[in-house]
Amino acid sequence: MTRAPANLMAVRSLLLKHLNRDPNRVRDEDLEPNEVGIVGDANHRGGYHCGSDRVVSNDYSVVESPRDRNGLTLDAAALDVGMFRVSSRGRTHDLFTFSTWCVAQCVANTADTRDIREIIYSPDGKVVRRWDRLGRRSTGDRSHLWHTHFSFFRDSIKAGRGQTPLFRRYLTTIGLITPEQEDPDMTPEEHNWLKTVHRNLTVLDGRNPIGQTYTRTTMGEDHTDPTFKVGHPTLRSLGAQLTALQAAVESLASRDFTDEQAIISGVLAGLTPEEIAAAIPPTVAEQVVQELGRRLAA
């Protein structure tokens, strides 16, 4: 029996939560539960509203894409959305503006639309149009003047991939969901899991598994094993090397690398005795003679 998959039921719940403004009574303005359908009625045969037990020979929802052929299960892969009208941020939004917004996102190939095969819709309640990712069709029957049909590639339904992001983004864009709000589709267990992940990613001092991995790889230390050693450079060893290098540079900077005696010896080695004598000022010549005599006598 064809069944409604959990990922499309999540889309249905999201839309009804925010577009069925008064769930306690039926109103023309609201999106009512009977206006959001996934599984075709008992007489429905063929198409994305049917699972493998209701598809027909050469069914377009199976044969035209390997994504559909490989994803065929008992799950339906379509969603119908009926008429609604809501006011938000000083503007009125309805099925027609919703549908054209979704089609525009598909045309732009945003990441959250890539599992959508087609949208059959009306931009104004007067004409029916069809956006088809495979470019096979461009029309639909007149029932789509008052409801919009979304087909999803069957492999995305089979994989259980979430399909709420596009619709959540629409509700956020028109102001029915604020960015600060938590994801209402998440269970308390999922929220706790996210909090745990966040805590582990922000505490890196060795008190948890992620922090322990950080200290082992970057510091070369183990919070529970003080004898732990690593064979690669760590932040601590690199810091010690940088400190030693800085000290060596400072030591070299304070040294005088000029060897005056070597310079004088080099200059004198290239001069003749006559040139040396000529270079000595007369006032010190006698002192030089006396010093040379003393050295020779010694």
Side-chain angles (χ1 to χ4, degrees):
M1 178 181 296
T2 294
R3 60 201 178 197
N7 46 2
L8 293 188
M9 287 295 293
V11 176
R12 182 178 187 274
S13 296
L14 176 68
L15 293 176
L16 288 174
K17 178 172 183 176
H18 295 282
L19 297 177
N20 186 12
R21 308 293 283 177
D22 187 353
N24 295 320
R25 62 191 179 105
V26 175
R27 303 192 312 153
D28 290 341
E29 295 85 355
D30 283 355
L31 182 65
E32 304 294 345
N34 61 1
E35 294 178 304
V36 189
I38 297 173
V39 176
D41 63 31
N43 297 320
H44 200 113
R45 291 294 183 273
Y48 286 92
H49 283 294
C50 297
S52 56
D53 62 328
R54 295 195 200 173
V55 296
V56 297
S57 178
N58 205 36
D59 195 317
Y60 92 102
S61 73
V62 178
V63 302
E64 292 183 351
S65 168
R67 295 190 62 183
D68 290 326
R69 288 193 299 272
N70 297 332
L72 181 62
T73 66
L74 281 172
D75 288 330
L79 181 77
D80 284 343
V81 180
M83 300 288 283
F84 67 86
R85 185 171 63 255
V86 295
S87 295
S88 177
R89 294 178 176 173
R91 300 185 62 181
T92 298
H93 309 276
D94 57 23
L95 177 66
F96 307 129
T97 59
F98 162 71
S99 302
T100 53
W101 184 91
C102 290
V103 169
Q105 304 310 302
C106 289
V107 171
N109 196 33
T110 60
D112 52 8
T113 66
R114 291 171 188 167
D115 287 334
I116 296 179
R117 154 72 197 269
E118 64 185 352
I119 301 178
I120 311 174
Y121 70 106
S122 174
D124 54 11
K126 299 177 182 178
V127 298
V128 174
R129 294 179 180 171
R130 188 183 201 136
W131 176 86
D132 184 351
R133 188 175 296 275
L134 302 182
R136 297 295 190 97
R137 296 166 184 79
S138 60
T139 61
D141 66 62
R142 289 183 57 81
S143 69
H144 297 93
L145 291 175
W146 55 85
H147 85 272
T148 294
H149 170 93
F150 294 84
S151 295
F152 299 83
F153 285 114
R154 292 183 184 272
D155 63 351
S156 68
I157 303 302
K158 181 179 180 179
R161 192 151 52 242
Q163 300 301 333
T164 58
L166 173 68
F167 303 95
R168 181 174 300 283
R169 188 157 61 86
Y170 167 75
L171 295 169
T172 302
T173 298
I174 67 174
L176 294 184
I177 296 178
T178 61
E180 294 78 17
Q181 286 177 307
E182 286 188 315
D183 186 341
D185 292 337
M186 295 181 67
T187 65
E189 291 77 11
E190 289 172 323
H191 283 298
N192 290 335
W193 178 79
L194 284 177
K195 290 178 181 178
T196 299
V197 171
H198 175 74
R199 182 173 61 252
N200 285 341
L201 288 175
T202 54
V203 179
L204 299 177
D205 60 2
R207 291 180 297 173
N208 57 67
I210 295 178
Q212 187 60 70
T213 299
Y214 173 82
T215 56
R216 286 171 67 95
T217 57
T218 61
M219 299 298 291
E221 301 173 354
D222 193 305
H223 184 66
T224 60
D225 181 6
T227 65
F228 175 77
K229 302 294 182 184
V230 296
H232 58 75
T234 66
L235 290 178
R236 189 175 297 279
S237 66
L238 291 173
Q241 292 176 35
L242 287 174
T243 299
L245 178 60
Q246 183 178 15
V249 170
E250 291 175 351
S251 175
L252 291 173
S254 63
R255 290 180 56 184
D256 183 0
F257 290 94
T258 304
D259 190 341
E260 293 87 352
Q261 188 59 48
I263 294 173
I264 294 171
S265 298
V267 172
L268 292 177
L271 298 176
T272 65
E274 291 80 7
E275 291 172 331
I276 294 174
I280 297 175
T283 55
V284 298
E286 184 178 353
Q287 297 175 16
V288 171
V289 171
Q290 292 175 351
E291 178 62 23
L292 290 175
R294 184 183 65 77
R295 293 188 181 187
L296 290 172

